[in-house]
C-alpha cells in the first residue's frame, strides 16, 4: 500500500481567495490508482511552517505531493522548504537555466535575474519539464528509514495537470492493486434518507458506499479495491446493483453524466425553448452545450415578458414570481420561441419572497391539450444559490416529466405546488439533508 499526503502551498489558498482545485484533482487521480491518501494540508507562504510540514509528511507518508510555490518571487518558497527539510543545498542547474533563458528569448525578452531560482536543483531532485510554463517541477527521491518520494508541482492547474500526467505518473511506483468505482447520481431525495435506504452498505469497508450532497442532488459512490481489475469489478458488481435497486426511483445518471444531459436525453429529439426571469440565465448556462436547446429569453422586463406570454392580469394579481406566471411563460416559450417543449423559471432573490422560485413546463400531447407541470421551490439562500437551485429543479422537472416510463413523484409538500392533472413535484426541491453542496 502506498500512503500519500498532499500539501497545497499559497497564502491565497489559505485565505480562500482561490479555490484549491488542484488538491481535488490529485485526490481523484490517486484514488483511481489505488493510492491511499491520508491527509490534505493547506499552508501559507511561510518557510518555517512549510519546512516543518514537509518533514512531518515524509515521516508518515510514502509519497508527498506539493502544489504551488514554484514561481520566481520571494514568497515562492517550496524549493527552499524542500531543501531545508532534507538538509540539502540548492544550486543552479545549467541545463535548466539555459532552458529558461530560451523561453524568454523566444518571446523577444531578456530573462529577469529573479527567475534564476526556477533553475535550482538539490542533489536528490530531478527536474520535471513544464511545456506550458516557466516553473519546472521537482521529483525527489529520499529516505526516512524507508524510501520516500516527494513531488513539487506548479500551481496553475493547466501546468500542474499536464506535468502530473506526462512527467509524474510514469515515475511513480503504483501499487499492485486496482480500484473500480461508480458514482450514481440521484435527485429528489435527501442525503440522510439515502443513507437510511442504503443501511449497512454505508458501513462496510470494501466495497465502500459513500454519499455526497451536490447541487444536482445526492451522489452515491460505490468503490471496490482488489489486486487486479477483474477482482475489483467482481467485488463491485453486486453492491452496485443493490444500490441501483434501492435508489432506482431517484436515479438520473451515473459517473460523467450531467443532469442537463439527462434532461436532453429525455427530450427524444424535441426542441426546447426557455424563458428565465430573475435567474440571471442560470438555466441557459446549464443547457448551453445541449443540442436540443433551441432558443431562450432571459429578462425581467415586464413589457417584454408580456410579449412572451405573461398576461397582465397574472402580473397584477399574482406577481411575476408565481405558479401561474411560470405556467403562462412555459406556454409562451413554445409559442413565441418556436420550440416543441417550453420551460420557464421565475425567481425572487430579493424582497419578502426571496428564495422562492416557480418552474413551468409545457409539453405537446398527441391530439389533446398540452401536458402542463409546475414546481415551487422555496429554499432561502443568497442570490446565486437560489438561482442555481431553481435551474437544477427545472432540469429535474423536465427529465422526470419526459421520462419513459414517467418518474414517480411524491405528493407536493406545503412549499411545493402541483397542477390539476397530476402531482408535479419530484422532491428535487426539498433540501438535501446533512451536508449542503
Amino acid at each position: 500500500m502506498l500512503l500519500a499526503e498532499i500539501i497545497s502551498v499559497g497564502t491565497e489558498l489559505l485565505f480562500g481567495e482561490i479555490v484549491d482545485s488542484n488538491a481535488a484533482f490529485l485526490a481523484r487521480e490517486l484514488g483511481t490508482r489505488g493510492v491511499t491518501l491520508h491527509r490534505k494540508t493547506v499552508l501559507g507562504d511561510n518557510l518555517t511552517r512549510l519546512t516543518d510540514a514537509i518533514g512531518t509528511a515524509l515521516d508518515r507518508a510514502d509519497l508527498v505531493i506539493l502544489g504551488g510555490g514554484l514561481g520566481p518571487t520571494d514568497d515562492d518558497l517550496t524549493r527552499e522548504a524542500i531543501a531545508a527539510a532534507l538538509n540539502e543545498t540548492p544550486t543552479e542547474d545549467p541545463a535548466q537555466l539555459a532552458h529558461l533563458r530560451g523561453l524568454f528569448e523566444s518571446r523577444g525578452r531578456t530573462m529577469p535575474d529573479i527567475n534564476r531560482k526556477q533553475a535550482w536543483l538539490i542533489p536528490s531532485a530531478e527536474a520535471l519539464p513544464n511545456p506550458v510554463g516557466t516553473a519546472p517541477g521537482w521529483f525527489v527521491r529520499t529516505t526516512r528509514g524507508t524510501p520516500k518520494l516527494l513531488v513539487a508541482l506548479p500551481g496553475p492547474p493547466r501546468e500542474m495537470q499536464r506535468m502530473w500526467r506526462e512527467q509524474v505518473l510514469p515515475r511513480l511506483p503504483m501499487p499492485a492493486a486496482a480500484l473500480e468505482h461508480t458514482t450514481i447520481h440521484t435527485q429528489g431525495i435527501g442525503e440522510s434518507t439515502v443513507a437510511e435506504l442504503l443501511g449497512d452498505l454505508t458501513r462496510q469497508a470494501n466495497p465502500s458506499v459513500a454519499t455526497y450532497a451536490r447541487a444536482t442532488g445526492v451522489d452515491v459512490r460505490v468503490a471496490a479495491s482488489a489486486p487486479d481489475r477483474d477482482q475489483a469489478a467482481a467485488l463491485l458488481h453486486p453492491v452496485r446493483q443493490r444500490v441501483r435497486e434501492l435508489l432506482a426511483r431517484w436515479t438520473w445518471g451515473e459517473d460523467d453524466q450531467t443532469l442537463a444531459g439527462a434532461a436532453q436525453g429525455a427530450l427524444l429529439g424535441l426542441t426546447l425553448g426557455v424563458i428565465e426571469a430573475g435567474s440571471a440565465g442560470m438555466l441557459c448556462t446549464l443547457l448551453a452545450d445541449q443540442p436540443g436547446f433551441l432558443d431562450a429569453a432571459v429578462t425581467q422586463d415586464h413589457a417584454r415578458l408580456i410579449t412572451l406570454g405573461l398576461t397582465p392580469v397574472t402580473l397584477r394579481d399574482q406577481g411575476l414570481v408565481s405558479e401561474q406566471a411560470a405556467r403562462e411563460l412555459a406556454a409562451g416559450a413554445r409559442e413565441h420561441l418556436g420550440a416543441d417543449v417550453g420551460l420557464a423559471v421565475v425567481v425572487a432573490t430579493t424582497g419578502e419572497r426571496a428564495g422562492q422560485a416557480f418552474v413551468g413546463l409545457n409539453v405537446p400531447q398527441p391530439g389533446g391539450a398540452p401536458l402542463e407541470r409546475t414546481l415551487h421551490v422555496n429554499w432561502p439562500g443568497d442570490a446565486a444559490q437560489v438561482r442555481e437551485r431553481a435551474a437544477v429543479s427545472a432540469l429535474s422537472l423536465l427529465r422526470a416529466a419526459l421520462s419513459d416510463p414517467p418518474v414517480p413523484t411524491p405528493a407536493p409538500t406545503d412549499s411545493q405546488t402541483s397542477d390539476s392533472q397530476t402531482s408535479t413535484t419530484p422532491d428535487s426541491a426539498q433540501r438535501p439533508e446533512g451536508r449542503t453542496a
Side-chain angles (χ1 to χ4, degrees):
M1 181 172 64
L2 190 66
L3 298 180
E5 290 197 25
I6 296 171
I7 300 175
S8 300
V9 183
T11 300
E12 68 280 7
L13 296 173
L14 186 64
F15 289 165
E17 295 169 1
I18 296 177
V19 176
D20 188 9
S21 60
N22 285 348
F25 168 83
L26 290 169
R28 290 191 298 269
E29 286 285 299
L30 293 170
T32 58
R33 290 167 173 82
V35 179
T36 302
L37 179 64
H38 273 187
R39 290 176 178 83
K40 291 192 292 183
T41 304
V42 179
L43 292 173
D45 301 308
N46 180 282
L47 182 58
T48 300
R49 287 193 286 272
L50 185 52
T51 301
D52 291 344
I54 293 170
T56 300
L58 285 171
D59 285 337
R60 62 194 179 196
D62 308 304
L63 170 64
V64 178
I65 305 172
L66 291 102
L70 295 182
T73 62
D74 290 339
D75 62 350
D76 290 309
L77 298 169
T78 295
R79 298 180 195 85
E80 291 91 330
I82 295 173
L86 300 181
N87 198 27
E88 297 185 26
T89 302
T91 58
E92 284 183 0
D93 179 74
Q96 291 301 313
L97 188 59
H99 173 71
L100 282 170
R101 282 190 173 135
L103 288 177
F104 281 90
E105 290 169 0
S106 68
R107 293 169 176 78
R109 299 171 56 195
T110 300
M111 186 188 83
D113 280 345
I114 194 173
N115 284 84
R116 296 178 71 101
K117 69 182 289 186
Q118 293 184 298
W120 287 359
L121 278 179
I122 55 175
S124 61
E126 173 187 358
L128 300 177
N130 184 349
V132 289
T134 62
W138 279 9
F139 192 89
V140 181
R141 294 176 174 87
T142 186
T143 57
R144 294 252 171 159
T146 59
K148 305 284 185 174
L149 295 174
L150 189 149
V151 178
L153 299 169
R158 188 168 71 105
E159 298 179 32
M160 184 277 292
Q161 292 180 20
R162 183 163 175 179
M163 187 179 292
W164 169 259
R165 293 190 176 107
E166 296 181 359
Q167 302 298 330
V168 179
L169 285 178
R171 291 172 167 85
L172 288 181
M174 288 302 178
L179 181 75
E180 291 290 304
H181 61 88
T182 299
T183 299
I184 298 168
H185 307 301
T186 72
Q187 170 62 245
I189 182 171
E191 188 176 16
S192 64
T193 307
V194 170
E196 232 176 47
L197 287 171
L198 296 176
D200 290 341
L201 291 175
T202 61
R203 291 184 281 276
Q204 63 186 33
N206 188 27
S208 63
V209 179
T211 61
Y212 307 92
R214 300 283 185 259
T216 51
V218 178
D219 284 356
V220 180
R221 188 174 188 268
V222 189
S225 59
D228 59 55
R229 293 191 67 179
D230 289 343
Q231 292 182 61
L235 275 174
L236 179 72
H237 178 71
V239 177
R240 179 177 57 197
Q241 287 303 107
R242 183 57 178 153
V243 172
R244 285 170 173 165
E245 292 167 3
L246 290 169
L247 301 178
R249 173 179 176 178
W250 300 278
T251 298
W252 58 260
E254 294 186 358
D255 292 330
D256 294 334
Q257 289 180 283
T258 64
L259 184 55
Q264 166 65 40
L267 284 168
L268 296 176
L270 299 175
T271 58
L272 177 67
V274 171
I275 296 176
E276 295 189 65
S279 54
M282 179 65 71
L283 179 56
C284 292
T285 299
L286 296 177
L287 287 165
D289 296 327
Q290 302 304 320
F293 182 30
L294 176 67
D295 199 3
V298 181
T299 180
Q300 288 183 264
D301 181 74
H302 290 179
R304 170 64 174 145
L305 289 169
I306 287 171
T307 68
L308 291 170
L310 177 65
T311 65
V313 172
T314 295
L315 183 62
R316 182 194 66 207
D317 294 345
Q318 301 183 45
L320 175 57
V321 183
S322 64
E323 179 184 3
Q324 184 60 25
R327 190 190 299 270
E328 291 173 355
L329 289 172
R334 288 185 60 204
E335 179 182 354
H336 299 288
L337 301 181
D340 299 318
V341 176
L343 188 62
V345 178
V346 288
V347 180
T349 57
T350 60
E352 291 183 1
R353 306 198 70 188
Q356 296 202 45
F358 289 87
V359 179
L361 178 67
N362 189 290
V363 184
Q365 298 294 295
L371 170 68
E372 293 183 303
R373 292 193 173 184
T374 58
L375 171 69
H376 181 197
V377 181
N378 185 9
W379 190 2
D382 62 33
Q385 289 175 312
V386 172
R387 289 165 179 153
E388 182 180 48
R389 290 165 188 155
V392 166
S393 297
L395 292 176
S396 180
L397 180 64
L398 174 63
R399 182 198 65 84
L402 298 182
S403 293
D404 186 20
V407 175
T409 57
T413 66
D414 290 342
S415 63
Q416 300 166 334
T417 60
S418 62
D419 62 79
S420 57
Q421 300 179 35
T422 182
S423 169
T424 63
T425 308
D427 51 354
S428 55
Q430 295 176 359
R431 308 184 188 190
E433 298 162 26
R435 292 171 288 176
T436 57

